[in-house]
């Protein structure tokens, strides 16, 4: 651990203000740096008292008002209105059923990793809260290998976002910065042992929003 920069990083980590790449790198160091772990524990103890200023407020009892709206005595309607209301209710039910059956729209593609004719290709989507990366062409690597996803800022060290298997990789992420690069490498099973890419890059693409 290097002071005082690591003390500041520990404070930002506890407050939750570190950018995701820095937070992931910090958590990797935290696993093997006892001094860093002590700094995090110290910050947690310092900030623990802040919780006392935020007392829980009871939720308002809305049940009586909801029941009054749901079960209010209806006004008497003339017989001619019943047929119109029945038809309107049927049409509304059909419209709701149709909407419910429609699949939700796919989140937009923010990066394509690999050319359209490449044997191995990935797509990255962003749904507003998470980056979702999936393989759209090609197959998994050998049994003793993994596909690992990296995000690379300009002039910066790659940061691992996780492993891509048969199912899409979903990573909670703020809005991906345009111009940053997503890349997939072939690593030993379980991922790069030192937290840095060691295998060849098999697909990459620039983020564009």
């Amino acid at each position: 651990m290097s002071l005082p920069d690591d003390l500041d990083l520990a404070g930002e980590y506890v407050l939750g203000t570190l950018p995701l790449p820095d937070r992931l790198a910090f958590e990797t160091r935290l696993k093997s740096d006892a001094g860093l772990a002590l700094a995090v524990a110290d910050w947690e103890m310092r900030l623990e008292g802040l919780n006392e200023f935020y007392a829980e407020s009871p939720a308002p009892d809305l049940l009586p008002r909801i029941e009054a709206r749901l079960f209010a005595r209806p006004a008497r309607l003339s017989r001619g209105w019943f047929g119109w209301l029945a038809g309107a209710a049927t049409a509304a039910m059909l419209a709701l059923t149709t909407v419910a059956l429609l699949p939700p729209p796919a989140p937009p593609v923010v990066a394509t990793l690999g050319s359209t004719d490449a044997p191995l290709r990935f797509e990255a989507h962003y749904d507003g809260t998470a980056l979702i990366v999936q393989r759209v062409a090609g197959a998994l690597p050998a049994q003793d290998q993994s596909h690992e996803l990296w995000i690379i800022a300009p002039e910066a060290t790659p940061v691992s976002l996780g492993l891509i298997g048969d199912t899409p990789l979903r990573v909670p992420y703020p809005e991906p910065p345009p111009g940053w690069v997503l890349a997939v490498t072939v690593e030993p099973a379980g991922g790069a042992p030192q937290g840095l890419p060691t295998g060849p890059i098999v697909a990459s693409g620039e983020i564009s929003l």
Side-chain angles (χ1 to χ4, degrees):
M1 171 176 167
S2 61
L3 296 173
D5 291 343
D6 283 348
L7 289 176
D8 294 339
L9 284 175
E12 293 183 56
Y13 175 78
V14 173
L15 290 170
T17 57
L18 279 178
L20 180 60
D22 294 342
R23 184 177 185 85
L24 293 172
F26 185 88
E27 289 177 345
T28 299
R29 292 183 53 202
L30 197 58
K31 296 175 183 177
S32 58
D33 192 330
L36 206 57
L38 287 174
V40 169
D42 180 62
W43 272 106
E44 289 175 341
M45 290 180 62
R46 291 191 208 177
L47 300 175
E48 185 178 11
L50 293 177
N51 293 331
E52 299 174 0
F53 296 99
Y54 297 93
E56 292 186 6
S57 56
D61 184 8
L62 300 179
L63 183 59
R65 278 183 280 173
I66 294 173
E67 288 180 336
R69 292 183 63 183
L70 289 177
F71 306 113
R73 180 182 295 276
R76 294 183 63 83
L77 298 175
S78 64
R79 185 177 299 274
W81 280 94
F82 285 111
W84 182 87
L85 287 176
T90 301
M93 288 294 293
L94 288 173
L96 288 173
T97 302
T98 302
V99 170
L101 292 176
L102 292 174
V109 176
V110 296
T112 300
L113 286 64
S115 60
T116 55
D117 57 349
L120 182 64
R121 191 169 78 257
F122 300 82
E123 282 185 353
H125 301 256
Y126 183 65
D127 66 359
T129 61
L131 196 62
I132 306 161
V133 183
Q134 61 183 350
R135 189 179 68 255
V136 294
L140 289 170
Q143 189 172 1
D144 60 346
Q145 296 176 325
S146 297
H147 282 148
E148 189 160 1
L149 177 68
W150 308 84
I151 189 166
I152 309 167
E155 307 299 328
T157 302
V159 175
S160 174
L161 296 182
L163 305 180
I164 305 175
D166 281 324
T167 57
L169 171 65
R170 183 181 179 89
V171 184
Y173 205 89
E175 184 172 322
W180 289 28
V181 172
L182 293 173
V184 176
T185 61
V186 176
E187 302 294 341
Q194 302 299 325
L196 292 173
T198 61
I201 298 175
V202 293
S204 65
E206 186 175 302
I207 295 174
S208 61
L209 297 179

